[in-house]
Amino acid sequence: QVQFVESGGGLVQPGGSLRLSCAASGSIFGNAMGWYRQAPGKLRELVARISTDGTTNYAIFVKGRFTISRDRAKNAVYLQMNSLKPEDTAVYYCNTGPGFTTRNWGQGTQVTVSS
């Protein structure tokens, strides 16, 4: 019964930065984790993944700009987003990464990049 609560989104100008946080109510120690995003009318897509051993992978459209990290002691996952672009506008969610059983989706946090 793991649940996720995402926070840290907001309105930011192009080129700006945001740091998203994901708090898990249940242990995620044994899971790869991922950040996903979904824009209106589009499918949810994987943004970044961090494995149990700390290995990271990124979608090509965010590579070099975003950094995913995890804090096992705090049972949390983070996404540092730099050099934000208007096309990054979406609701961002955290969940288990591909290859692990998907848990219930949280409410997500809205990221809007606009001048």
Side-chain angles (χ1 to χ4, degrees), residues 21-49:
S21 298
C22 171
S25 63
S27 177
I28 56 172
F29 181 85
N31 294 279
M33 293 295 297
W35 279 96
Y36 304 78
R37 70 187 187 187
Q38 186 170 28
K42 298 179 64 178
L43 296 175
R44 182 181 289 113
E45 61 185 355
L46 179 67
V47 175
R49 179 182 188 269

Side-chain angles (χ1 to χ4, degrees), residues 8-76:
L11 175 63
V12 65
Q13 293 182 321
S17 298
L18 287 172
R19 183 174 177 83
L20 307 184
S21 298
C22 171
S25 63
S27 177
I28 56 172
F29 181 85
N31 294 279
M33 293 295 297
W35 279 96
Y36 304 78
R37 70 187 187 187
Q38 186 170 28
K42 298 179 64 178
L43 296 175
R44 182 181 289 113
E45 61 185 355
L46 179 67
V47 175
R49 179 182 188 269
I50 184 165
S51 300
T52 54
D53 65 357
T55 301
T56 58
N57 291 278
Y58 300 92
I60 190 170
F61 49 83
V62 304
K63 191 172 181 64
R65 300 188 296 121
F66 292 8
T67 303
I68 187 172
S69 61
R70 67 191 301 167
D71 188 329
R72 294 180 181 274
K74 295 181 178 180
N75 203 40

